[in-house]
Amino acid sequence: MASQADKNAKKPNIFVRMGRKLKETFSELKRVTWPSFPKVVRGTCVVLVVVVVFTVVVTGINYGLQALLNLITGIGE
């Protein structure tokens, strides 16, 4: 059972709780080591190259399967 002190203890309102969370968040963000600009550019280039490669591969597979389907069904003759 909850004691009388626990019943009398009131939870802070939503704004107080959110303020505490924001304060904790900003204090954590101050400790983050951010990457340098060249690292960000390099990472972005890697992502773009991977996306382009996958797009080419999926498009090639799609084209090949479409040609196979046309060959099987006789469409496009």
Side-chain angles (χ1 to χ4, degrees), residues 15-68:
F15 298 110
V16 172
R17 287 181 283 160
M18 289 298 289
R20 288 179 187 158
K21 293 285 185 187
L22 276 173
K23 188 175 179 181
E24 291 174 15
T25 302
F26 283 119
S27 68
E28 286 294 322
L29 280 175
K30 287 179 185 175
R31 288 186 254 169
V32 172
T33 54
W34 298 99
S36 64
F37 186 73
K39 284 185 180 180
V40 172
V41 170
R42 194 175 324 126
T44 303
C45 289
V46 168
V47 169
L48 289 175
V49 167
V50 169
V51 167
V52 168
V53 168
F54 273 98
T55 302
V56 168
V57 168
V58 170
T59 302
I61 291 171
N62 186 31
Y63 179 76
L65 290 175
Q66 185 67 40
L68 181 64

Side-chain angles (χ1 to χ4, degrees), residues 1-22:
M1 292 184 78
S3 68
Q4 187 65 21
D6 289 341
K7 289 181 183 178
N8 289 340
K10 193 174 170 186
K11 206 157 107 175
N13 68 30
I14 185 82
F15 298 110
V16 172
R17 287 181 283 160
M18 289 298 289
R20 288 179 187 158
K21 293 285 185 187
L22 276 173

